Amino acid sequence: MDNKILCQKEVECLREDDLRYVAQTTPFGKSLVFVRSQGCMLWDAEGKSYLDFISGIAVNNVGHTHPEVVQAICDQAQRMLHATVFGKAVIPPQVELARRLAQLTPHGLETIFFTNSGTEAIEGAIKLARRATGRHGIVAFEGAFHGRTCGALSISWREVYRKPFEPLLPGVTFVPFNDLEAARRAVTDAVGMVIVEPIQGEGGVHVPSDDFLPGLRQLCDARGAFLVLDEIQTGFGRTGRFFACEHWGVVPDILVVAKAIGGGMPLGGFISRPEVMRLLTDPPLAHMTTFGGHPVSCAAGLASLNIILRERLVARADQLGVHIQERLRQMQRKYAVIKDVRGKGLMIGLEFASAEETKRIVQRAQELGLILSWSIYSGGTVRIAPPLVITEDEVQRGLALLEQAIQSA
Ligand code: PLP
């Protein structure tokens, strides 16, 4: 397929118009102009290719622009786009995706409310936990990231992002991640929900000790609070289990999903037990969305789910993760600048000596044709999260480029 190659002047013009007409969220402007993607590869407007080691941040688990996902999108787009708001009609691709997910979610969690994004799904989970427990207190964790809308922001760590937008939700207590004792002190009778990422993503890829999530489960049971797991980044095979909570056999009261669920299309959802979800009917339309669970997104999600299961990508993530971590540990022995290697499956964090060092390495990797990113709450950690379909060759090539970037940054 042809890549649209633009001359340097046209590319500069696009960058200038982006700066002028598209809202910026950093002062730096954007260097990359992507025009095509396929599998684990991206191409920029000047025809340069890049190997993707972050999957649009844990979105493209089946690879970019997968032909089966594209076909499902085209088929559904020809049949029907938007029909009516959520709650007014049965939409077959929604039902089919919900039914298939119910077979994969932890025991009892079989009803999903579809949203357009992760942060919206978090908002829904906050409402549902409040409604079910009648309590508004929330315990969240230092280093947590749950999104940028007001509710999600209230329970995300790093004061610098919350402060300018206060007052936010009341009754939120942050405790150190992986500290059960601190959680025990914080979960009082006023707390309706404990929300946690099973493996922290933006906080710098932190895997908790084995007793942490089971301990939180026991704590929530004892105190009558809901345990909400944010699996927006960890779900759909990313960590070597379909959902990361399976590593510890923990069943939450609400499971929040997004990112990879749509196979590259916008989709999210919060999942709970049917009797809990029924609370959203009282009052009728207690929660609503116009586009959540869009038929095209659900069709793409179904195609993507079929690929994940048929190609056994969950087991693949597990095996490749072990191999990549081994290779990274070898590199760690060679380069003092690498301080730590951690993660599970294809959600791996590589911690460097400083945030400046990390930024230089990520920038150098980009020049060499490798896309990496740092975690937003932990400037020193580079995240490695390639599509789960990545080939052995691509892994070797990516790691060689990473090593070259470390040597030459
Ligand atoms: N929760 C987690 C763990 C995330 O990683 C993200 C996004 O990076 C979100 C919530 C927010 O999701 P979205 O960007 O789809 O709104």
Side-chain angles (χ1 to χ4, degrees):
M1 194 193 291
D2 276 350
N3 295 333
K4 183 165 169 47
I5 311 266
L6 303 177
C7 70
Q8 213 180 351
K9 194 151 172 273
E10 288 169 311
V11 173
E12 278 318 313
C13 193
L14 270 173
R15 283 203 188 98
E16 276 166 29
D17 284 356
D18 182 78
L19 272 177
R20 179 160 177 192
Y21 298 115
V22 180
Q24 305 293 302
T25 53
T26 76
F28 316 118
K30 301 165 193 157
S31 55
L32 294 163
V33 182
F34 286 133
V35 292
R36 189 165 87 85
S37 64
Q38 190 78 60
C40 296
M41 299 303 296
L42 291 151
W43 286 267
D44 73 13
E46 289 162 287
K48 178 173 169 182
S49 64
Y50 299 82
L51 181 58
D52 183 11
F53 254 31
I54 58 164
S55 314
I57 317 252
V59 168
N60 302 298
N61 286 11
V62 298
H64 289 268
T65 323
H66 194 291
E68 279 176 48
V69 174
V70 173
Q71 190 59 52
I73 290 170
C74 294
D75 292 347
Q76 181 58 44
Q78 275 174 348
R79 258 194 306 274
M80 181 176 75
L81 294 175
H82 176 70
T84 178
V85 293
F86 202 105
K88 289 273 186 198
V90 172
I91 307 289
Q94 269 179 10
V95 180
E96 178 62 6
L97 182 57
R99 193 177 60 75
R100 295 283 303 281
L101 285 174
Q103 291 158 5
L104 296 161
T105 43
H107 182 71
L109 303 182
E110 58 174 47
T111 312
I112 184 166
F113 186 102
F114 285 115
T115 63
N116 303 283
S117 68
T119 195
E120 275 176 80
I122 293 286
E123 298 293 330
I126 295 172
K127 276 179 71 178
L128 187 61
R130 273 190 176 192
R131 181 75 181 76
T133 64
R135 305 171 182 177
H136 79 272
I138 300 178
V139 168
F141 290 90
E142 294 176 9
F145 180 81
H146 300 293
R148 287 279 194 248
T149 50
C150 280
L153 182 61
S154 309
I155 54 176
S156 294
W157 180 237
R158 283 294 291 274
E159 212 180 356
V160 63
Y161 293 109
R162 291 196 314 270
K163 201 86 197 144
F165 305 101
E166 287 178 343
L168 293 168
L169 284 184
V172 179
T173 308
F174 287 98
V175 299
F177 184 67
N178 206 22
D179 185 340
L180 260 183
E181 271 318 305
R184 277 194 191 106
R185 286 192 297 275
V187 182
T188 63
D189 290 348
V191 169
M193 142 183 186
V194 174
I195 181 159
V196 65
E197 297 156 81
I199 296 173
Q200 280 193 336
E202 299 307 328
V205 188
H206 293 292
V207 183
S209 48
D210 285 342
D211 61 346
F212 182 60
L213 288 175
L216 286 184
R217 179 65 278 175
Q218 279 176 3
L219 183 58
C220 287
D221 288 341
R223 308 267 163 93
F226 262 25
L227 177 64
V228 180
L229 292 186
D230 177 344
E231 292 245 18
I232 288 170
Q233 203 163 133
T234 51
F236 294 82
R238 170 64 44 201
T239 73
R241 297 289 183 277
F242 196 86
F243 290 111
C245 59
E246 294 166 27
H247 287 291
W248 298 280
V250 168
V251 180
D253 297 287
I254 305 177
L255 181 74
V256 189
V257 292
K259 288 192 184 278
I261 184 181
M265 292 291 283
L267 190 62
F270 53 103
I271 306 172
S272 192
R273 299 182 291 277
E275 70 276 15
V276 173
M277 245 2 167
R278 262 197 295 280
L279 295 168
L280 299 181
T281 64
D282 177 20
L285 304 177
H287 202 56
M288 270 187 73
T289 165
T290 297
F291 281 128
H294 192 284
V296 175
S297 296
C298 287
L302 267 168
S304 166
L305 188 58
N306 286 338
I307 298 160
I308 292 175
L309 298 180
R310 188 188 65 222
E311 296 184 10
R312 300 179 195 284
L313 296 183
V314 182
R316 184 173 173 73
D318 202 27
Q319 287 150 13
L320 277 179
V322 171
H323 169 66
I324 294 177
Q325 284 209 38
E326 257 170 40
R327 287 284 316 276
L328 292 173
R329 291 218 169 80
Q330 284 165 9
M331 271 192 222
Q332 187 184 8
R333 288 193 279 277
K334 238 163 118 184
Y335 304 102
V337 73
I338 302 178
K339 295 296 168 205
D340 195 20
V341 176
R342 52 182 181 256
K344 270 193 189 293
L346 290 177
M347 182 168 177
I348 299 170
L350 190 58
E351 190 169 322
F352 287 96
S354 69
E356 289 64 42
E357 191 77 47
T358 307
K359 285 193 177 133
R360 272 202 303 276
I361 290 165
V362 170
Q363 178 57 34
R364 182 70 190 123
Q366 184 181 308
E367 287 159 15
L368 294 169
L370 177 70
I371 301 293
L372 297 169
S373 82
W374 55 83
S375 303
I376 55 177
Y377 283 2
S378 160
T381 308
V382 163
R383 183 199 340 244
I384 296 183
L388 313 187
V389 293
I390 193 164
T391 64
E392 306 273 342
D393 273 3
E394 285 168 329
V395 167
Q396 300 313 335
R397 195 148 53 84
L399 292 174
L401 288 171
L402 173 65
E403 185 160 7
Q404 215 181 319
I406 293 171
Q407 286 166 345
S408 57

